[in-house]
Every structure is written in C-alpha cells, then in structure tokens.
Amino acid sequence: MVLLVLETVTPRGSIALVVDGACLAIEGDTDRTHAERLPGDVMDWLARHGLGLGDVDCYSVVSGPGSFTGTRVGVAAVQGFALATGKSVIPIPTLDAVASGWLDRTQPGGAPELIVPCVDGQRGDVYFAAFERTTGTRLEDCRVVCEAQAARPDEARARLSALGFAGATVLVGDGAARYADVFTSGLPDTRAEALGVSIAEAASRLALRRVAAAASPHALRPVYLRRPDAELARTRPPSAAALAVTIELAAGPDDVSAVEALQRRSFTNAWGAESIRWELEHTDVARLYVARGAGGALVGYCACWMIFDELHLNSLAVEDAWRRRGVARQLLRRVIGDSVAVGARSGTLEVRQSNTAARGLYERFGFKVEGVRRDYYQEPREDALVLWNRQLFTPAGGLW
C-alpha cells in the first residue's frame, strides 16, 4: 500500500510517504508559502521515490487546527489529488496526530498520565487537548478528558488545572516548547517534550490505523478552532446596545447557508446546507431557529426535531464574538417554550463529555445525564453524554 500524507498546519509543513509500511518523511521550509510549494513539493517527493499520483492508494491530510490559510491550502490540495485519481482521503486532526506521534514512541510509566498535544497558534495562543493514558501505547487506548480548543497559554494552563488530574502531565508539540515556562510554573508534575518527528510522519501511523475511516474527498472538512481575525472583527458586537438579539424561525435559503457556515466553524462534523434544507423541506419534524443581532446578521441557531411529544435538540451554536452573552439561553428558552406549546413533554440531546460549558447550560434547563454513547464523536474521538428532561415546561417569572 502507498499512502501519502500532507501537513500544512505549521509554517514549515511536512510530507510523509508510506510504501509497504516504510515511512519516508520530509519537512518544508519557511522561505515559501504553502500555496507556492504545492502541488510541486508533493510531485517532487513522489518522483524522488519513483512514484506518481497514480501510484498512491490512499491520501491523508492533517486537517487542523493550525494556520487558517495553510489548513485550507492543504485540504484543497489533497482534495484535488484524490478527485483526480479517484482515491479516498483519511483526515487526521492536528492534535490527534501530535498526541499519537508521541504515544507511538513512548511506553507508559506505570501510572496514569495526562498527554496534552499543544500546538502554537502563532497569535499568542495555543491549540490543545488532553488525553488520559493508563497502560496503552496508542491514542486509541486513551480517554479524551479535554476536547480540542484554543486559548492563551495561561488560560490553557487554568483549564488543564481545573481537570484536577492527579498524575503526571506531558505537554507535546511546538506550543508546549514555546510556552513551557507558563505551563510548568503553574502545573505540578508537568513537563514539556518535543514530538521528535514531523507531524506528517506522526499522522501517517495514525492514518494507517484509520484506513477504514477513509472517505470521499467531497466529505473532507478542515478543523478550525479559531476564526480568521478579519472575520472576527466583522462579527464583533460594537457596543452593549448591539447585544440585543431576535429569535425566530429560519426564513429561507440565506439563513440555511449562514447556519451551515456557522456549523463548519463550530463543529468538526457539520451537516451541510443540503442536509439541513432537505430536513426542512421533506419532513414535518424539523425546525430551525435563528438568533439575529441588531443589524439582522445571524449570530446563533438551534436545530431541533419535534417527534410526537419529544423535543430532540440536534445542534446549537453561537458566533464566537457573541458567546457568554446569553444568546444560547435565549435560543433554548424560545425553542422549549414553542415546543411545549405544541405538546412536547420531554426533551433529549447529546453533548461531548468534556463540554462542561454546554452541560451547564442544559442542566440549567432541567436536563440530566441518563446515558453514555461510547466514541459517538470523532475528530477528536470522545464519548457522548445523553441528557433528558422528562418534564418540560414553559418558563415563567424569569426562570432560566
């Protein structure tokens, strides 16, 4: 089998070529942008080993987070290669690759360890996640205890500290190296280590174990945890007066497209506009609520189903600049109120186990954990908590 892996989430970038189990990897340089290097560097690397695109059996790409432009360039390049040759693609999230690369080269120390892949975000922040290792030597043996997120180093340290992990903490990656003093000064029994191989090489080993997850290039989606600065500036509320929102049912195709765009910025496995539109047009259970700012721009949404007397909350997201301002609470208040008015008596949803903020919001509305769905979420892999509220009611007197 011939596997080609491309990584463009870092400034240098890297390429890995796996031929019958042997990995051949190379890193780029910072003299040229990824757009200038591709597709030439990939073609040259293949040619150096007597191969062409037609010899590649499967492609893989490090899908983010990382440089916004670099990630887009890498994903687009691999999509082009795969479409041209009719091959599938294995997406590997950056933090999965970093954690897996370190785990593949080390042995457990006999006690639980917290493995924290930490990538430099290049703007004074880091991308990080956390996995608990007990006895295994692979990422698949670890438990996700902190989902992928972006934060300033001191904020990341505080979030890791809040996990209350009692064992040793190992931070891996260029973000760990750059901000080692921040992390090690505030977290006991913590050390920062280099990955030791290129991210593409680390991703190649994980990709070989995820061949069954290879998908059509059309399904490839980049992972963005932080939006571009220019886009954040456009959506940032200019004043307190602009924080007022209006909640209403989606009005048409423009709303659906805006919801799709917000989904892709918020989740690693978004539905896509066609799926949303199909549900709205071909079922009588789907509803899509949107929150609009003072200027009419969409700043949040909630997608749900009404099935007999049950409300199913499928997806909810709020623009970065509008978070922690009560928008999600207003959305849920309207959705639950409308649903109760037409006969809903209970409600349910799934949420990532590590998403404590969302769990707190839903618990405020009376939802409680009643079950777990193992490995329900991917990129990163994590259990889903199943929450239920068995006695929905319309709030009154300022409740919620």
Side-chain angles (χ1 to χ4, degrees), residues 240-251 255 259 262 288-302 317-318 322 325-335 338:
L243 297 179
V245 296
T246 301
I247 310 296
E248 59 189 19
L249 289 168
D255 279 348
V259 166
L262 177 53
L288 180 62
Y289 288 82
V290 295
R292 303 186 195 279
L298 186 143
V299 298
Y301 79 91
C302 180
V318 175
W322 288 78
R325 300 177 187 273
V327 176
R329 189 167 64 251
Q330 293 181 60
L331 274 165
L332 281 176
R333 186 182 296 123
R334 171 67 184 276
V335 170
D338 283 4

Side-chain angles (χ1 to χ4, degrees), residues 57 151 198 241 245 255 257 273 279 298 317 363 369 380 383 387-388 398:
D57 297 304
S198 70
V245 296
D255 279 348
S257 296
E279 284 194 350
L298 186 143
E363 288 169 358
V369 177
D383 295 344
L387 279 65
W388 277 91

Side-chain angles (χ1 to χ4, degrees), residues 32-283:
R32 297 174 296 158
T33 66
H34 292 302
E36 292 171 331
R37 287 201 292 262
L38 296 172
D41 280 9
V42 169
M43 306 298 288
D44 291 345
W45 188 238
L46 285 168
R48 285 177 59 179
H49 300 285
L51 300 171
L53 290 178
D55 298 305
V56 177
D57 297 304
C58 189
Y59 293 90
S60 181
V61 63
V62 179
S63 55
S67 160
F68 184 85
T69 301
T71 301
R72 285 193 305 170
V73 169
V75 167
V78 168
Q79 280 180 318
F81 297 147
L83 285 169
T85 56
K87 301 298 170 60
S88 298
V89 180
I90 307 166
I92 300 294
T94 308
L95 299 175
D96 281 16
V98 172
S100 180
W102 187 84
L103 287 163
D104 286 344
R105 299 171 52 248
T106 62
Q107 294 295 321
E113 296 174 298
L114 192 66
I115 311 304
V116 181
C118 186
V119 176
D120 188 1
Q122 304 295 323
R123 293 190 179 117
D125 58 7
V126 294
Y127 301 115
F128 72 101
F131 304 85
E132 181 182 6
R133 172 167 79 168
T134 52
T135 59
T137 59
R138 291 184 172 184
L139 185 65
E140 296 90 328
D141 302 319
C142 298
R143 181 175 68 91
V144 177
V145 295
C146 180
E147 65 178 355
Q149 52 194 278
R152 295 195 312 270
D154 58 334
E155 292 176 338
R157 179 187 64 197
R159 294 177 192 177
L160 292 171
S161 178
L163 296 175
F165 188 76
T169 298
V170 182
L171 291 105
V172 184
D174 60 356
R178 181 171 182 177
Y179 298 105
D181 56 337
V182 176
F183 289 106
T184 56
S185 65
L187 291 171
D189 197 10
T190 296
R191 68 184 189 274
E193 295 197 3
L195 176 55
V197 296
S198 70
I199 294 180
E201 182 174 348
S204 71
R205 298 189 181 96
L206 189 55
L208 288 173
R209 303 199 296 267
R210 294 185 178 180
V211 169
S216 161
H218 295 290
L220 190 58
R221 297 288 182 269
V223 178
Y224 299 133
L225 298 183
R226 181 191 64 201
R227 295 167 58 193
D229 292 344
E231 191 173 332
L232 283 173
R234 288 197 300 271
T235 60
R236 185 175 295 116
S239 66
L243 297 179
V245 296
T246 301
I247 310 296
E248 59 189 19
L249 289 168
D254 289 345
D255 279 348
V256 173
S257 296
V259 166
E260 179 193 32
L262 177 53
Q263 274 196 332
R264 296 200 188 289
R265 294 191 292 268
S266 304
F267 306 112
T268 57
N269 294 292
W271 303 340
E274 290 304 317
S275 297
I276 300 171
R277 191 175 297 114
W278 189 94
E279 284 194 350
L280 293 173
E281 293 177 353
H282 295 88
T283 76

